[in-house]
Amino acid sequence: MSSLLIGELSPEQPSFEPSKNKELTLEFRELQATVERMGLMRTNPLFFLLCLLHILLLEVAAWLTLRVLGTSLVPFLLCAVLLSVAQAQAGWLQHDFGHLSVFSTSRMNHLLHHFVIGHLKLGKQKKKYMPYNHQHKYFFLIGPPALLPLFFQWYIFYFVVQRRKWVDLAWMLTFYARLLLTYVPLLGLQGFLSLFFIVRFLESNWFVWVTQMNHIPMHIDHDRNVDWVSAQLQATCNVEQSFFNDWFSGHLNFQIEHHLFPTMPRHNYHKVAPLVRSLCAKHGIQYQSKPLLSAFADIVHSLKESGQLWLDAYLHQ
């Protein structure tokens, strides 16, 4: 952080600006200390081991489906679904390593991050000529379905070569080599490519809906210089807890807690959530939590609203 230091406040300067909630900030610091004392920043290794094992079991089950049941339509589609689930869950697991929330050292988190995102799996500015007032309609066609199969497949290779990230490239090549050696003997090259893009299509829909349900529907304004805690609570919302919701979203249904405690292991989010909710209630801040399907519907409603704002700004001047 030293590169970001631009100076020190003089002694007579206030440490809190009037626009920021000093009491909330101080109480959140106390909450952070409480969380540390409760051991909620410590990882349960068994949880993440089981996460990894269930991904590997899904991968094996997908291959065995074709190996044992043959390559007709039903086993083919079942294999695609199993692989899609494995890829989505691997995405949530690499997210854990990326947030340094699994191991106590950054080195180990980064090492496993490379393995999971590299071997187990693999926003532009708006332009005036795009019909953004209809984006809530075409989002279903070109948003979730196209992100991973089309955009990420070529852009990731372009990115790692341009940035000369040769280690990342090597891990990515092992991923494609493993898939080719595993499925081409069973399906042939054309069948493998069909399977690959179906998996990417299903995974892409899963990824986009889950990652956007906590953010797009939230009210985003110009910087009002509020305190950090208030900013996080205004920009994120939760989705109700259940075993399915936790698994389906990789615990990103606890987006509020994830933002407030970004290095906390996700299996502890449900333990700290009541404390965060109490803090919000004390300071009159809304702690937003909604059902999963409502969160999905709010994505579409939000896109419609922002599309109308674009229409008013550029075409109804």
Side-chain angles (χ1 to χ4, degrees):
M1 300 291 287
S2 58
S3 62
L4 301 178
L5 179 65
I6 60 174
E8 298 284 352
L9 287 174
S10 61
E12 65 273 10
Q13 290 292 324
S15 58
F16 280 89
E17 298 168 272
S19 60
K20 297 182 178 179
N21 191 328
K22 179 179 180 179
E23 185 180 355
L24 174 63
T25 301
L26 294 177
E27 290 193 24
F28 179 72
R29 291 175 184 172
E30 293 178 6
L31 176 58
Q32 286 179 305
T34 300
V35 164
E36 290 280 358
R37 289 194 300 270
M38 293 173 64
L40 298 183
M41 302 304 292
R42 290 198 297 267
T43 296
N44 179 356
L46 180 61
F47 174 85
F48 290 104
L49 177 61
L50 292 176
C51 285
L52 178 59
L53 288 178
H54 107 284
I55 292 168
L56 297 177
L57 287 174
L58 286 165
E59 292 263 1
V60 172
W63 178 79
L64 285 176
T65 298
L66 294 180
R67 187 73 176 83
V68 175
L69 300 180
T71 58
S72 59
L73 180 60
V74 173
F76 179 86
L77 294 178
L78 179 57
C79 173
V81 170
L82 290 170
L83 274 180
S84 299
V85 175
Q87 288 291 288
Q89 292 300 317
W92 308 143
L93 184 58
Q94 66 82 24
H95 177 257
D96 296 317
F97 292 121
H99 273 271
L100 312 181
S101 62
V102 180
F103 295 102
S104 58
T105 65
S106 297
R107 180 181 178 84
M108 282 301 297
N109 278 292
H110 288 312
L111 178 62
L112 269 294
H113 191 212
H114 277 296
F115 169 72
V116 175
I117 197 172
H119 181 70
L120 290 185
K121 70 174 290 81
L122 184 76
K124 295 178 178 289
Q125 290 184 343
K126 292 187 174 183
K127 304 298 182 181
K128 292 185 179 182
Y129 55 80
M130 287 292 288
Y132 290 108
N133 53 310
H134 295 291
Q135 65 183 358
H136 58 290
K137 301 172 185 175
Y138 62 70
F139 172 77
F140 299 97
L141 300 176
I142 66 174
L147 180 65
L148 293 181
L150 301 180
F151 180 70
F152 274 9
Q153 288 306 305
W154 71 265
Y155 181 75
I156 290 176
F157 276 102
Y158 170 78
F159 178 84
V160 297
V161 172
Q162 183 189 46
R163 300 294 180 89
R164 300 184 179 183
K165 293 181 174 289
W166 308 125
V167 174
D168 289 338
L169 180 61
W171 277 113
M172 290 166 57
L173 292 177
T174 66
F175 166 77
Y176 288 102
R178 175 173 62 86
L179 285 185
L180 286 167
L181 292 173
T182 303
Y183 287 101
V184 169
L186 295 174
L187 296 171
L189 182 59
Q190 184 176 353
F192 162 74
L193 292 175
S194 298
L195 175 67
F196 181 79
F197 279 99
I198 289 174
V199 168
R200 282 295 187 239
F201 171 82
L202 295 174
E203 179 200 357
S204 187
N205 279 274
W206 190 336
F207 171 82
V208 172
W209 285 99
V210 168
T211 56
Q212 300 309 306
M213 67 185 183
N214 312 94
H215 297 100
I216 282 184
M218 304 307 295
H219 177 70
I220 304 300
D221 206 340
H222 61 81
D223 184 12
R224 296 187 179 275
N225 199 33
V226 298
D227 56 275
W228 181 81
V229 179
S230 296
Q232 305 314 306
L233 292 166
Q234 292 170 7
T236 56
C237 68
N238 280 8
V239 169
E240 293 175 354
Q241 182 192 17
S242 69
F243 177 82
F244 175 79
N245 286 354
D246 293 354
W247 173 83
F248 183 77
S249 67
H251 289 84
L252 292 181
N253 51 325
F254 288 97
Q255 192 70 217
I256 292 174
E257 289 70 28
H258 177 56
H259 274 235
L260 293 176
F261 304 96
T263 61
M264 177 181 285
R266 57 174 155 127
H267 54 70
N268 287 333
Y269 288 157
H270 73 282
K271 298 178 182 178
V272 76
L275 303 178
V276 175
R277 191 186 293 268
S278 296
L279 184 66
C280 291
K282 180 177 180 179
H283 291 273
I285 301 174
Q286 185 179 10
Y287 180 98
Q288 298 192 53
S289 183
K290 60 187 74 171
L292 181 64
L293 294 182
S294 296
F296 288 164
D298 285 346
I299 294 177
V300 182
H301 295 155
S302 180
L303 289 172
K304 185 176 182 180
E305 285 184 14
S306 63
Q308 186 60 46
L309 290 173
W310 170 89
L311 188 68
D312 293 340
Y314 289 116
L315 299 183
H316 295 164
Q317 301 184 60

